[in-house]
Amino acid sequence: MLNRFSRAALVLGLFAVAPPVLAGGEDVVVEDAWSRASIGTGRPGVAYMTLRNTGAEPVVVTGLRTDLAMMPMIHSTTTDAQGVTRMSHMEAVEIAAGEAVALAPGGLHVMLMDLQRPMVEGESYTLSVIFADGTEATVDVPILGIAARGPAN
Ligand SMILES: [Cu+2]
């Protein structure tokens, strides 16, 4: 089974030959976005959400933007046979037509590298998800408590 990283790499590889038909961010709904409060700015912040592709074509997320962090990126989380957990930067994340990709604790997540200010519980910030066609989906992300495990609702 191909993991998400391999699928993303496959998609990028295909661009060099013949671009697949890819829809843009107008088909993507960002659901249940949330973040945890940070202790300061010395460590990266984290954000989670569900990206739902309501369209009939695959969509590829290629980046993120927020004024809260200089280097927001999507990480994957993998745990090897020895129980060692690693995070790796995802250059692209494909969302199949009609499918949703969950960014959740223990799996894919948004890592907010180089925080520009502390993330304070009760506040929120704007995060834009950038797609391969240049379109964006922008959401307001609420900052929950430092021990939060899921979206508030
Ligand atoms: Cu990470």
Side-chain angles (χ1 to χ4, degrees):
M1 189 182 106
L2 291 174
N3 63 27
R4 287 204 178 88
F5 183 82
S6 301
R7 287 176 56 206
L10 188 64
V11 168
L12 289 178
L14 288 172
F15 283 139
V17 183
V21 178
L22 292 173
E26 68 274 2
D27 287 331
V28 175
V29 180
V30 182
E31 300 170 343
D32 295 332
W34 63 284
S35 269
R36 280 196 197 102
S38 68
I39 292 171
T41 57
R43 290 180 174 220
V46 68
Y48 304 106
M49 67 202 69
T50 297
L51 302 170
R52 185 174 302 283
N53 179 4
T54 64
E57 303 291 344
V59 173
V60 176
V61 177
T62 56
L64 301 160
R65 190 175 59 239
T66 175
D67 68 358
L68 177 63
M70 294 296 281
M71 286 178 53
M73 57 179 69
I74 296 179
H75 279 175
S76 63
T77 307
T78 53
T79 304
D80 68 17
Q82 281 71 46
V84 178
T85 298
R86 285 191 184 79
M87 301 192 294
S88 39
H89 176 200
M90 302 284 285
E91 299 282 349
V93 174
E94 182 186 355
I95 312 168
E99 302 271 317
V101 170
L103 281 65
L108 290 174
H109 55 276
V110 171
M111 196 109 263
L112 301 165
M113 315 288 284
D114 200 356
L115 283 180
Q116 298 300 290
R117 55 185 184 273
M119 297 171 72
V120 178
E121 181 176 358
E123 295 186 351
S124 65
Y125 61 95
T126 300
L127 177 74
S128 295
V129 182
I130 304 168
F131 301 94
D133 71 342
T135 58
E136 301 181 3
T138 298
V139 286
D140 197 49
V141 184
I143 300 172
L144 307 183
I146 202 159
R149 290 169 167 265
N153 51 29

